[in-house]
Amino acid sequence: MMQYFGVLLSRTEFLSPLVTYHRFISFSLYVSGLVAFVFSLVKKHYLKQFTLFGWTHVTLLLIVTQSHLIMQNIFEGLIWFLVPVSMIICNDIMAYMFGFFFGKTPLIKLSPKKTWEGFIGGAFATIVFGLIMSYALLQFDYFVCPIEYDEAKEALSLDCERSFVFRLHEYALPQFLQNFGALFGRDWKTMTMYPFILHSISMSVFASVIGPFGGFFASGFKRAFKIKDFGDTIPGHGGFMDRFDCQLLMATFVHVYHSSFIKAISPQKLVQQVLSLKPEEQMQVFNMLQESLRKRGLLRLN
């Protein structure tokens, strides 16, 4: 998170140490909590206390870590958050509808009402929905631009030059599609589309095939502890966790997918990191870059 807010915080003298030492401060607070936990141990309640300690860390892993990854996805562009979340919701609704009207074959014992018909129908509907929603959001820069620091405005901004993933490109069609088009007198050789559309198919396949297993995991968890819902915040639907159980794996998948196949070093983010340095360190980076460009003949000094 500091790579996005570090530049702004470092401009305030009082908050500057938080930018430099935020990792050590966070670790120190965690260690302090661990020490306090050890001092609070009571001989008759060891098992209960360590059970609660374990539950705290499981909660941190499932909730806090997922929330952190969701925030990272949002900072890379709202489309990386809205599309995956909507896919999970669509899959949940359409799987229920297909299962309600056509379901006959049980899918898994943990959820007796889930059927293969609902699972397959939901997957197909999710892929179609993902393509439509992705194309709609790609028409607006607001949804595809990552949050970056604007030196001119001295503030975080959503204005950007679109990356390769969000620009139209021409692709050569496979030979069998060209032959198929020729049967109808069509000259299908190339197709123009956004590369993100292809990535949305990957996300929709994960959302419809692997995503439901987050729900199955939650069902097994509730059965193990003989509870119906995780909470009662939403009347008739349980708590927030009952509505977002399938989102558990999706945030991690999108973050890993984006980091592995999409994310690239951008000049704007490099500038953000340089601006978070001390003034003398910024000058050192400037001189080193200037000397390197001069030696390679890319920069000529008068």
Side-chain angles (χ1 to χ4, degrees):
M1 296 293 181
M2 295 307 295
Q3 64 176 309
Y4 299 100
F5 300 112
V7 176
L8 296 178
L9 295 177
S10 63
R11 292 178 180 270
T12 305
E13 186 175 352
F14 172 73
L15 297 175
S16 182
L18 294 178
V19 178
T20 307
Y21 307 112
H22 70 280
R23 292 185 186 276
F24 182 78
I25 294 172
S26 300
F27 177 74
S28 299
L29 291 173
Y30 174 80
V31 171
S32 300
L34 181 65
V35 172
F37 168 76
V38 173
F39 277 115
S40 69
L41 289 173
V42 179
K43 188 174 183 180
K44 293 183 180 180
H45 304 292
Y46 283 164
L47 181 60
K48 184 176 181 179
Q49 286 180 298
F50 276 101
T51 299
L52 292 174
F53 183 79
W55 275 117
T56 300
H57 283 75
V58 170
T59 303
L60 290 173
L61 178 64
L62 294 179
I63 307 300
V64 179
T65 302
Q66 297 299 318
S67 300
H68 173 74
L69 295 180
I70 287 174
M71 290 300 296
Q72 292 283 358
N73 296 338
I74 291 175
F75 283 133
E76 294 297 337
L78 282 172
I79 196 168
W80 293 105
F81 168 73
L82 294 176
V83 171
V85 168
S86 300
M87 285 176 176
I88 290 291
I89 296 173
C90 172
N91 182 257
D92 202 18
I93 295 173
M94 298 308 296
Y96 172 80
M97 293 182 65
F98 275 93
F100 182 83
F101 290 105
F102 309 107
K104 295 181 180 180
T105 313
L107 176 62
I108 188 170
K109 292 182 179 180
L110 280 174
S111 298
K113 295 183 179 180
K114 301 292 176 64
T115 63
W116 276 104
E117 290 79 5
F119 184 78
I120 296 172
F124 176 77
T126 302
I127 292 174
V128 174
F129 171 81
L131 293 174
I132 296 173
M133 184 172 186
S134 297
Y135 183 80
L137 295 184
L138 284 168
Q139 308 308 309
F140 305 94
D141 289 342
Y142 180 81
F143 295 108
V144 302
C145 286
I147 296 179
E148 294 175 341
Y149 181 76
D150 191 325
E151 179 67 15
K153 298 179 181 178
E154 294 188 349
L156 295 176
S157 173
L158 280 173
D159 297 328
C160 71
E161 181 180 344
R162 290 194 173 205
S163 66
F164 172 86
V165 181
F166 304 121
R167 294 198 299 264
L168 286 169
H169 289 273
E170 194 173 55
Y171 295 92
L173 291 175
Q175 189 61 46
F176 76 92
L177 287 179
Q178 295 183 31
N179 296 336
F180 182 76
L183 295 176
F184 299 93
R186 300 286 184 176
D187 187 19
W188 290 351
K189 292 185 178 180
T190 61
M191 179 176 63
T192 302
M193 64 181 298
Y194 294 99
F196 183 82
I197 295 294
L198 299 176
H199 296 299
S200 74
I201 296 175
S202 300
M203 289 189 289
S204 60
V205 168
F206 183 91
S208 55
V209 176
I210 306 298
F213 282 85
F216 299 153
F217 173 84
S219 296
F221 187 92
K222 288 185 284 188
R223 287 178 180 274
F225 289 89
K226 298 180 181 179
I227 57 176
K228 181 180 179 181
D229 297 312
F230 286 112
D232 55 3
T233 308
I234 308 174
H237 293 274
F240 283 106
M241 191 61 188
D242 294 284
R243 293 297 91 202
F244 291 93
D245 49 10
C246 292
Q247 301 282 359
L248 287 176
L249 298 174
M250 196 65 193
T252 304
F253 171 75
V254 173
H255 181 74
V256 172
Y257 185 89
H258 184 273
S259 300
S260 301
F261 304 108
I262 308 296
K263 195 171 186 178
I265 299 176
S266 67
Q268 291 85 352
K269 290 185 178 179
L270 287 177
V271 171
Q272 281 184 230
Q273 295 176 0
V274 172
L275 291 175
S276 65
L277 299 175
K278 297 177 181 178
E280 58 271 18
E281 292 175 334
Q282 293 180 29
M283 287 301 301
Q284 184 180 1
V285 172
F286 172 76
N287 292 329
M288 292 172 61
L289 179 60
Q290 184 183 60
E291 182 65 19
S292 176
L293 293 174
R294 186 185 64 78
K295 287 181 178 180
R296 290 187 289 164
L298 299 175
L299 179 65
R300 294 182 179 179
L301 301 177
N302 296 327

